[in-house]
């Protein structure tokens, strides 16, 4: 990615960046590089970091390589592993946000509750009652941060400790306890591997088995750590990994591609080779294609599932009782702690913030029955509102940092219009709907629709994702198609 020019804007624009997670930090840095001083970052939490601040569960890590899961402009020589542990990522964001002056621009513990377009600007209100008026809103509110707490009969009656994975209660000891975990997504798998040796017993409630890609993650040795002091080398690694991950996109957008077959084979080999007990192997064997659900990558999940402390339960949960979880075979699994690694409401985006655009139309209304945005960044009827990692954007197993950098560079070009005197910019409804129709049609080729349940799928069963190659994403991000926008 090219470094941004530092220019003085022709017009003083007032900005609100909502969220000081990965994308909000990026937006604040880029705006500052552009010479914008009237930028306030609103953050509901007490520190930066977003998902990496909120998730503190044991085993938290990123399954995107460390050198790629870094800003292109801030390579980090201090990563200790090929795939970074969560606390290191959190430290990285804290450091970058401090070094680039983002912390100084941020109002912490100040959650934006409403945004109202008054015809010329956005009226912003926070939960604390603070008010602001801005020309531009950058919504960097994240995708996976509203916990999905499952509806299970009797859940409230549980007399042990129960919490969602993203609300890990560190006051509760799991050491030598009987722990149950519901969910075997990317989160559940990491937790299971991390706590298997700490607990007295770990009961894994699996609704659907997962394909697991082996992901060795031995720490970097002293020699590599030394070499990583060379920031040019890190930048080159970032570029190489980006190319490699770009190729991976073929595997998910074309279910019949050789890349998809390769990934499927690697997952199958992992299962066949690393699960010794044939009965357990069958219970861990998915009946859908690899990468249909978000692919799991783990160095040691199958090891963990064969540990003496771990029991796999595949009978469906029928209810929770004061002493534990009852399954359909009428067994009561007695537990001290119940962890819900049950994912997130992936379709909330800027909500529950109240967003009211032109003609008093709310975003809730515009997003009924489901979220829609032009290239996942802008919404017709909501001028000067830009989302990073908004609806139907590239998810897959891409590095969302990289995606955010491309998206912000694109948004920056839209902002040029405002810098040069335009009052508003927003996408045309017809262009938005036409692109959405193309996106839905293209997603029919993808691996995500080959017969599994996942958080990628919307209420129609259409993947809420970018269904084309990563190269095409880069091309589209390079320059806006101006005919898709209304500028006043
Ligand atoms: P998830 O992928 O949505 O998985 C939720 C799990 O809970 C699934 O196993 C699901 O079963 C199960 N579940 C949900 N409701 C249930 C119910 N009522 N009864 C029984 N089981 C239930 O959530 P996640 O694991 O938190 O991961 C979400 C996403 O976060 C990932 O896909 C990934 O994008 C991101 N993430 C990334 C990393 C990383 O390393 N980069 C790490 C963690 C998370 P079914 O499969 O049957 O639906």
């Amino acid at each position: 990615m090219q470094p941004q020019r530092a220019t003085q804007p022709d017009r003083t624009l007032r900005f609100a960046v909502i969220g000081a997670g990965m994308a909000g930090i990026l937006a604040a840095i880029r705006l500052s590089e552009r010479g914008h001083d009237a930028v306030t970052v609103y953050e509901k939490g007490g520190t930066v970091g977003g998902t990496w601040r909120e998730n503190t569960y044991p085993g938290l890590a990123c399954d995107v390589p460390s050198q790629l899961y870094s800003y292109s402009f801030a390579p980090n020589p201090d990563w200790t592993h090929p795939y970074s542990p969560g606390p290191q990522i959190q430290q990285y964001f804290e450091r970058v946000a401090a070094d680039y002056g983002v912390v100084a621009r941020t109002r912490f513990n100040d959650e934006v509750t409403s945004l109202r377009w008054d015809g010329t600007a956005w009226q912003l209100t926070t939960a604390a009652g603070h008010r602001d008026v801005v020309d531009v809103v950058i919504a960097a509110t994240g995708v996976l941060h509203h916990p999905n707490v499952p509806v299970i009969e009797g859940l409230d009656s549980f007399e042990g400790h129960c919490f969602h994975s993203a609300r890990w209660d560190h006051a509760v000891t799991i050491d030598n306890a009987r722990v149950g975990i519901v969910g075997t997504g990317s989160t559940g798998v990491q937790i299971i591997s991390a706590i298997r040796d700490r607990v007295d017993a770990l009961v894994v409630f699996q609704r659907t088995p997962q394909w697991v890609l082996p992901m060795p993650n031995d720490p970097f040795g002293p020699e590599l750590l030394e070499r990583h002091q060379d920031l040019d080398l890190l930048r080159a690694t970032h570029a190489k990994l980006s190319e490699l991950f770009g190729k991976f996109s073929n595997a998910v957008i074309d279910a019949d591609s050789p890349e998809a077959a390769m990934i499927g084979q690697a997952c199958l080999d992992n299962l066949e080779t690393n699960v010794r007990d044939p009965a357990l192997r069958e219970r861990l064997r998915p009946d859908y294609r690899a990468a249909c659900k978000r692919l799991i990558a783990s160095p040691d999940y199958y090891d963990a599932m064969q540990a003496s402390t771990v029991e796999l339960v595949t009978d469906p949960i029928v209810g929770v009782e004061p002493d534990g979880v009852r399954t359909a075979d009428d067994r009561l699994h007695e537990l001290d702690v119940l962890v819900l690694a049950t994912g997130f409401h992936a379709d909330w985006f800027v909500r529950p913030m109240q967003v009211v655009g032109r003609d008093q139309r709310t975003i809730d209304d515009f997003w009924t029955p489901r979220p829609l945005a032009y290239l996942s960044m802008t919404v017709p009827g909501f001028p000067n509102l830009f989302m990073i990692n908004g609806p139907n954007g590239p998810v897959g197993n891409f590095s969302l940092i990289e995606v955010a950098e491309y998206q912000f560079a694109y948004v920056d070009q839209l902002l040029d219009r405002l810098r040069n005197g335009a009052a508003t910019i927003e996408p045309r409804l017809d262009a938005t709907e036409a692109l959405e129709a193309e996106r839905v049609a293209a997603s029919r080729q993808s691996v995500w629709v080959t017969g599994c349940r996942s958080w990628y799928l919307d209420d129609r069963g259409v993947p809420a994702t970018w269904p084309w190659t990563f190269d095409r994403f880069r091309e589209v991000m390079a320059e806006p198609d101006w005919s898709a926008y209304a500028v006043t």
Side-chain angles (χ1 to χ4, degrees), residues 3-303:
Q4 305 282 312
R5 279 176 295 134
T7 54
Q8 280 303 317
D10 299 337
R11 175 183 162 209
T12 301
L13 291 169
R14 298 160 296 176
F15 289 85
V17 175
I18 305 181
M22 172 276 287
I25 295 170
L26 168 76
I29 292 172
R30 292 303 197 206
L31 290 173
S32 170
E33 285 171 348
R34 280 294 195 184
H36 292 291
D37 292 326
V39 178
T40 305
V41 181
Y42 287 87
E43 169 52 56
K44 68 180 176 184
T47 53
V48 302
T51 194
W52 299 104
R53 179 199 64 222
E54 292 196 359
N55 284 280
T56 58
Y57 60 77
L60 175 71
C62 185
D63 59 14
V64 173
S66 307
Q67 316 300 357
L68 186 58
Y69 200 82
S70 318
Y71 296 115
S72 60
F73 56 87
N76 181 13
D78 300 330
W79 298 128
T80 57
H81 288 71
Y83 300 89
S84 296
Q88 270 186 35
I89 299 175
Q90 174 63 14
Q91 277 171 17
Y92 170 74
F93 284 125
E94 286 177 11
R95 181 171 59 70
V96 172
D99 288 355
Y100 285 78
V102 179
V103 171
R105 287 168 182 255
T106 303
R107 292 179 65 99
F108 290 103
N109 301 308
D110 211 3
E111 180 173 2
V112 178
T113 49
S114 97
L115 280 176
R116 191 172 288 276
W117 178 253
D118 69 5
T120 53
W122 284 102
Q123 302 277 343
L124 176 155
T125 311
T126 72
H130 174 76
R131 287 171 189 277
D132 198 355
V133 183
V134 295
D135 304 295
V136 179
V137 173
I138 311 282
T141 48
V143 187
L144 299 165
H145 74 295
H146 296 292
N148 168 41
V149 175
V151 180
I152 303 177
E153 203 176 312
L155 191 57
D156 287 345
S157 71
F158 184 56
E159 286 178 353
H161 300 280
C162 177
F163 44 81
H164 187 273
S165 54
R167 299 284 180 272
W168 195 273
D169 186 345
H170 292 276
V172 173
T173 180
I174 54 160
D175 295 312
N176 306 315
R178 297 165 304 171
V179 179
I181 181 162
V182 184
T184 50
S186 304
T187 302
V189 161
Q190 291 181 344
I191 295 171
I192 292 163
S193 295
I195 68 173
R196 56 176 262 198
D197 290 333
R198 290 175 53 186
V199 296
D200 178 47
L202 177 58
V203 184
V204 176
F205 297 98
Q206 171 192 279
R207 188 165 68 178
T208 314
Q210 292 277 7
W211 286 115
V212 181
L213 199 61
M215 186 192 82
N217 197 24
D218 292 335
F220 294 130
E223 210 174 294
L224 264 182
L225 286 174
E226 180 61 36
R227 284 182 62 199
H228 290 168
Q229 299 305 311
D230 176 354
L231 298 189
D232 285 338
L233 174 83
L234 292 187
R235 287 190 193 96
T237 309
H238 184 283
K240 261 192 228 146
L241 287 167
S242 168
E243 283 308 307
L244 202 75
F245 264 63
K247 291 204 173 72
F248 172 78
S249 73
N250 292 339
V252 286
I253 59 166
D254 178 0
D256 298 323
S257 63
E259 290 89 349
M262 242 170 61
I263 285 172
Q265 192 60 48
C267 291
L268 184 62
D269 290 347
N270 191 21
L271 176 72
E272 300 290 357
T273 315
N274 292 320
V275 183
R276 292 177 299 275
D277 171 13
L280 178 65
R281 197 186 305 142
E282 290 321 301
R283 295 169 72 216
L284 289 169
R285 187 188 300 277
D287 63 359
Y288 56 86
R289 297 175 64 158
C292 181
K293 284 171 171 295
R294 203 268 192 187
L295 196 60
I296 307 287
S298 168
D300 52 6
Y301 178 59
Y302 287 146
D303 248 18

